[in-house]
Amino acid sequence: LSTTIDSWLNGKVENAMRGRVLGVYQVVHFAGSAFGNQVLRLDEPASFTLFSIVAMFLTMAIVPLSMTTADPPPKPESRKLELKRLYRYSPVGVVAIIFIGIANGTMWSLMPVYIREIGLSPAAVASAMTMLIVGSALAQFPVGRLSDGLDRRYVLIGLAVLAAIAELTIYASGVNVAWVVLLGASFVLGAAAPTQYPVTAAHTNDRIASEHSVSVSSGLLLLYCIGAIVGPQVASIVMDHLGPHGMFLMNATVHLTMASFVLWRILQKGAAPISSGPAPDKTAPR
């Protein structure tokens, strides 16, 4: 479903609007995620009621699809785009999306563990995760709009550095982190970390023709998921050695490494032009 939606949007939108469109998409996505988590309050997680609600919403998703008058994106001329070719067109996109998967997978899965390990209540877990989601939802459109007017790689570097600052703040506070510091850092982290995926996806799709949008989206999602699987496994080992706050040191290292790679690519290739039309078929790798 994610691959289909991502590729549909990237296949329809022009480069000049890509960041804002993906930003709005992410706002809706996070709003739905926040609402979906609240549905858990209605019944036990293993109950048939919750599965029925999920099935109902999936069925309802067919309604706007059946009523739309918008033309679908053009059918792809090529059915697949190899990862090697994807890297050739956009090294930043391929490398950054793996790092983003590592950091985001660790953040979403192990931050609740960190909060419980330092002795805070389940309510504290909900509050901190809510701040993450709120920060993500509020930042998506402004970040998308900013990336439409600048070289998206500079935006990606800024987001990575901002995320690292929030992570190092929590790490430096350790297990005795103040409640207000945790909530504030969670909000900043939510604004800086999840917004990196749509910026990277927009940058990559800028470099490749729109008929490849399906294969580009599926390739990026595959690489992201690989990172999201590996990240928590490595982070759990780090947490065993450094304590529960060690995951934030690991994620800060990941974000700073990613920012360094993107900066190196900029210095190697120079600034990418601000895109204003359809994606080119061939371009210098960025």
Side-chain angles (χ1 to χ4, degrees):
L1 289 174
S2 295
T3 299
T4 303
I5 296 170
D6 288 357
S7 60
W8 182 290
L9 290 174
N10 281 300
K12 292 285 288 184
V13 68
E14 293 186 352
N15 292 346
M17 291 288 294
R18 194 182 304 278
R20 277 165 283 185
V21 170
L22 294 180
V24 172
Y25 163 49
Q26 289 295 323
V27 170
V28 176
H29 165 73
F30 279 108
S33 296
F35 174 77
N37 278 284
Q38 298 306 312
V39 173
L40 289 171
R41 299 174 182 271
L42 300 179
D43 207 340
E44 293 297 320
S47 72
F48 180 72
T49 302
L50 299 185
F51 285 100
S52 299
I53 293 174
V54 171
M56 179 184 68
F57 278 108
L58 286 172
T59 304
M60 288 172 60
I62 300 174
V63 176
L65 287 174
S66 62
M67 295 178 63
T68 183
T69 58
D71 294 328
K75 293 183 179 180
E77 297 178 2
S78 175
R79 294 190 177 182
K80 67 176 181 178
L81 180 68
E82 297 84 359
L83 293 179
K84 183 184 296 185
R85 186 182 176 193
L86 182 60
Y87 178 84
R88 180 163 59 86
Y89 277 109
S90 181
V92 166
V94 169
V95 174
I97 211 71
I98 296 174
F99 280 125
I100 293 169
I102 292 172
N104 287 4
T106 299
M107 178 186 71
W108 291 118
S109 61
L110 294 183
M111 190 164 177
V113 176
Y114 159 77
I115 297 172
R116 293 304 306 275
E117 286 290 325
I118 64 175
L120 298 180
S121 66
V125 175
S127 298
M129 299 308 291
T130 298
M131 292 301 290
L132 275 174
I133 295 175
V134 170
S136 300
L138 292 179
Q140 292 290 343
F141 183 79
V143 168
R145 184 167 186 170
L146 180 65
S147 73
D148 283 337
L150 298 174
D151 184 337
R152 300 192 205 276
R153 296 174 299 175
Y154 287 117
V155 178
L156 188 58
I157 290 174
L159 292 173
V161 171
L162 184 60
I165 292 173
E167 289 155 348
L168 290 175
T169 299
I170 300 177
Y171 174 74
S173 300
V175 296
N176 297 315
V177 60
W179 180 233
V180 65
V181 172
L182 179 60
L183 288 183
S186 297
F187 179 85
V188 173
L189 189 57
T195 49
Q196 295 169 22
Y197 184 99
V199 172
T200 304
H203 170 78
T204 306
N205 278 277
D206 286 347
R207 314 258 62 81
I208 300 176
S210 59
E211 59 262 26
H212 296 301
S213 58
V214 175
S215 53
V216 170
S217 296
S218 59
L220 292 178
L221 188 60
L222 171 65
L223 294 172
Y224 176 88
C225 290
I226 290 174
I229 292 171
V230 172
Q233 307 302 320
V234 177
S236 63
I237 298 174
V238 174
M239 293 170 75
D240 285 339
H241 287 82
L242 299 181
H245 58 302
M247 59 164 286
F248 296 103
L249 179 62
M250 188 196 92
N251 270 9
T253 303
V254 169
H255 281 130
L256 292 176
T257 302
M258 181 182 73
S260 300
F261 175 81
V262 177
L263 179 60
W264 175 73
R265 289 298 305 177
I266 292 175
L267 295 176
Q268 290 289 311
K269 293 294 180 180
I274 298 174
S275 301
S276 59
D281 184 39
K282 292 184 179 180
T283 185
R286 300 283 183 181

